[in-house]
């Protein structure tokens, strides 16, 4: 076996990695490789929260380390194009809030594919108050809807799906705060049902209309990587998914401990709120196909339906991508035993 401590050997290896485009911004760093570990950065589309509790638990309990992975989470934000970062090879894995982001990126020619999903149903919801409720899509007509700019595409899809002209709804760009609804600036605000901290302020008079029930049925929290990473180092992707699945399974069985670990990693989060949120999140993570095929599972037929819906809505300005261009089941198949559904 080659001695990686030998300086000449290390220089040769580094040169080889650079030639392959891997030493800087690629899958393997020279130091991680020399230590026998694969560096995997997971680029988020937004800030860290309960949606990543499985990864945090897997990291803190050493599940990634057991798989030979040096793991780190890279937070996103409004000025960070996570999909472009992963597509370029700077980071190895990405996660965005909604499946359309992956579909649209592929349609624009970005070389990425989804290899697993974190939520079997999308938790995106339209919130209103009982005094002026929105219980069905038609109730949005004439309403002022507060929505983050990044989620505008979800509203457009809902309106088109239900044949509601966009001019019949007044869109107001807001952040994740629920205050605009309470102060009357808007009639509806949007967010995720898992965001229990933000939702508490709306009280018992809150009325929910989920995107799913409104006819736009999408996956949430898709995991994706560049096609180059998936093809050149499938074992690393399999190791990542095994460790991540183990983390989520541990969360499911040890919810209080999982929340403690999440708050230790991110002290800005409140344990009481995250403990409420984790129960909601786990219903999305382990429902649907995950009940029979394990955490992370996804159905190409569902992706086909999503692609068809967005194509019908005219959302693909370049071209409509094929399912096999958007997703790969290879990593899921290779990790089936490790991800098997557990009560």
């Amino acid at each position: 076996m080659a001695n990686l401590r030998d300086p000449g050997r290390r220089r040769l290896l580094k040169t080889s990695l650079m030639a392959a485009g891997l030493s800087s911004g690629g899958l393997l760093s020279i130091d991680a490789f020399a230590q026998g570990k694969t560096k995997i950065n997971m680029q988020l589309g937004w800030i860290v929260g309960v949606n990543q509790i499985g990864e945090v638990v897997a990291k803190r309990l050493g599940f990634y380390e057991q798989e030979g992975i040096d793991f780190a989470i890279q937070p996103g934000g409004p000025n960070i194009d996570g999909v472009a970062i992963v597509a370029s090879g700077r980071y190895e894995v990405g996660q965005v809030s909604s499946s359309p982001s992956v579909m649209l990126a592929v349609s624009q020619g970005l070389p990425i594919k989804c290899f697993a999903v974190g939520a079997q149903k999308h938790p995106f919801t339209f919130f209103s108050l009982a005094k002026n409720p929105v219980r069905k899509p038609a109730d949005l007509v004439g309403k002022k809807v507060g929505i983050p700019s990044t989620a505008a595409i979800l509203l457009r899809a809902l309106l088109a799906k239900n044949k509601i002209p966009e001019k019949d709804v007044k869109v107001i760009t807001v952040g994740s705060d629920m205050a605009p609804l309470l102060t009357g600036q808007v009639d509806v605000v949007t967010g995720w049902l898992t965001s229990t901290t933000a939702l508490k302020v709306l009280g018992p008079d809150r009325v929910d209309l989920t995107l799913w029930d409104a006819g736009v049925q999408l996956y949430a929290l898709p995991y994706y990587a560049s096609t180059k990473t998936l093809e050149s180092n499938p074992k690393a992707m399999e190791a990542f998914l095994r460790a991540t699945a183990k983390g989520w399974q541990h969360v499911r069985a040890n919810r209080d401990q999982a929340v403690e670990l999440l708050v230790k990693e991110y002290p800005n989060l409140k344990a009481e709120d995250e403990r409420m949120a984790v129960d909601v999140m786990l219903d999305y993570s382990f429902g649907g196909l995950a009940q029979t095929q394990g955490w992370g599972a996804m159905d190409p037929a569902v992706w086909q339906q999503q692609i068809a819906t967005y194509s019908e809505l005219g959302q693909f300005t370049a071209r409509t991508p094929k399912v096999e261009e958007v997703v790969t089941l290879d990593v899921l198949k290779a990790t089936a035993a490790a991800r098997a559904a557990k009560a």
Side-chain angles (χ1 to χ4, degrees):
M1 181 176 180
N3 180 10
L4 293 181
R5 295 178 181 275
D6 176 66
R9 172 64 180 168
R10 284 173 58 86
R11 282 196 298 271
L12 178 60
L13 179 58
K14 186 171 183 178
T15 301
S16 299
L17 289 173
M18 290 180 67
L22 294 174
S23 68
S24 178
L27 184 61
L28 298 175
S29 72
I30 181 64
D31 292 328
F33 191 95
Q35 294 168 11
K37 291 184 180 180
T38 298
K39 180 68 177 181
I40 291 186
N41 289 281
M42 187 173 81
Q43 175 65 60
L44 302 183
W46 200 242
I47 57 176
V48 182
V50 74
N51 296 339
Q52 289 76 43
I53 191 171
E55 284 80 3
V56 170
V57 167
K59 177 185 175 183
R60 293 191 71 95
L61 294 184
F63 298 159
Y64 289 116
E65 187 175 6
Q66 292 166 15
E67 290 283 354
I69 293 173
D70 181 10
F71 177 75
I73 293 176
Q74 303 295 337
N79 300 315
I80 297 176
D81 188 344
V83 175
I85 289 173
V86 174
S88 72
R90 179 180 172 189
Y91 292 144
E92 296 75 32
V93 171
Q95 184 185 66
V96 287
S97 61
S98 309
S99 51
S101 295
V102 177
M103 298 171 351
L104 292 166
V106 173
S107 77
Q108 294 290 335
L110 288 179
I112 62 168
K113 281 188 179 182
C114 174
F115 60 88
V117 296
Q120 296 294 317
K121 284 186 177 182
H122 207 300
F124 191 81
T125 302
F126 295 81
F127 302 109
S128 57
L129 298 176
K131 62 183 180 181
N132 187 17
V134 171
R135 303 184 189 279
K136 59 184 183 299
D139 294 340
L140 287 168
V141 173
K143 297 292 196 297
K144 293 180 290 184
V145 180
I147 192 166
S149 58
T150 54
I153 190 172
L154 300 179
L155 174 60
R156 289 199 300 271
L158 181 150
L159 296 177
K161 184 72 173 179
N162 292 277
K163 296 179 171 54
I164 299 172
E166 291 187 19
K167 64 180 179 61
D168 290 353
V169 175
K170 184 175 182 180
V171 178
I172 298 175
T173 301
V174 299
S176 57
D177 192 357
M178 299 288 146
L181 177 59
L182 295 173
T183 58
Q185 293 174 266
V186 298
D187 304 307
V188 182
V189 290
T190 60
W192 285 33
L193 278 172
T194 54
S195 301
T196 52
T197 302
L199 293 176
K200 282 198 303 184
V201 299
L202 297 183
D205 291 332
R206 192 185 89 206
V207 176
D208 302 342
L209 172 64
T210 66
L211 184 70
W212 188 276
D213 290 339
V216 181
Q217 299 182 346
L218 307 171
Y219 282 131
L221 302 175
Y223 295 83
Y224 65 95
S226 72
T227 53
K228 182 178 180 180
T229 294
L230 289 164
E231 292 168 3
S232 65
N233 208 323
K235 295 301 181 185
M237 295 296 97
E238 293 164 17
F240 164 77
L241 202 59
R242 280 194 301 269
T244 304
K246 188 175 180 180
W248 278 99
Q249 290 161 354
H250 189 91
V251 172
R252 192 183 189 192
N254 305 274
R255 304 183 185 198
D256 292 341
Q257 181 204 28
V259 170
E260 289 177 8
L261 293 174
L262 177 65
V263 174
K264 284 180 180 178
E265 186 82 2
Y266 297 98
N268 59 301
L269 300 175
K270 295 181 180 179
E272 179 183 357
D273 294 340
E274 300 307 318
R275 182 61 185 84
M276 293 173 57
V278 75
D279 289 337
V280 180
M281 185 64 225
L282 288 170
D283 287 341
Y284 285 100
S285 298
F286 287 94
L289 197 62
Q291 295 179 77
T292 55
Q293 295 189 17
W295 178 89
M298 58 185 181
D299 186 348
V302 173
W303 277 99
Q304 180 59 66
Q305 179 184 2
Q306 294 176 122
I307 292 171
T309 296
Y310 268 67
S311 182
E312 291 168 8
L313 299 178
Q315 297 296 327
F316 298 119
T317 57
R319 65 180 182 87
T320 298
K322 297 177 181 178
V323 174
E324 57 268 27
E325 294 176 310
V326 176
V327 304
T328 174
L329 298 183
D330 291 349
V331 185
L332 287 170
K333 290 177 180 177
T335 58
R339 298 182 300 98
K342 298 176 183 178

